[in-house]
Amino acid sequence: SKLNDSQLEALDKSTKKNVSVIHGPPGTGKSTIISKYLSQYINKGSKAIVSTTTNSAIDSLLDKIKQENSIPE
């Protein structure tokens, strides 16, 4: 999925820090930004911790990461 300018800025800023917080209202692309960010680490063999307030947010994030990295179900 293509990122808009705001999402690209958030991704760029987050890659320059050890800890990042991505927040916003539903439908603003948080899962998309986070999946792009985490995919960079997955491809390097690194680990990350993700925290959300709902299980559905984690499910959405994992689905996006699987799609971007061709990980089977």
Side-chain angles (χ1 to χ4, degrees), residues 23-35:
H23 64 93
T28 56
K30 295 177 298 297
S31 293
T32 300
I33 295 167
I34 295 167
S35 69

Side-chain angles (χ1 to χ4, degrees), residues 38-64:
L38 291 176
S39 290
Q40 294 176 8
Y41 284 89
I42 289 169
N43 292 327
K44 293 179 185 177
S46 298
K47 297 178 182 179
I49 295 174
V50 177
S51 176
T52 70
T53 57
T54 65
N55 290 341
S56 62
I58 289 291
D59 292 341
S60 174
L61 181 58
L62 288 174
D63 288 343
K64 287 179 185 284

Side-chain angles (χ1 to χ4, degrees), residues 1 32 35-36 39 63-71:
S1 151
T32 300
S35 69
K36 297 276 188 197
S39 290
D63 288 343
K64 287 179 185 284
I65 290 170
K66 287 178 185 177
Q67 288 173 354
E68 288 183 22
N69 293 283
S70 300
I71 300 170

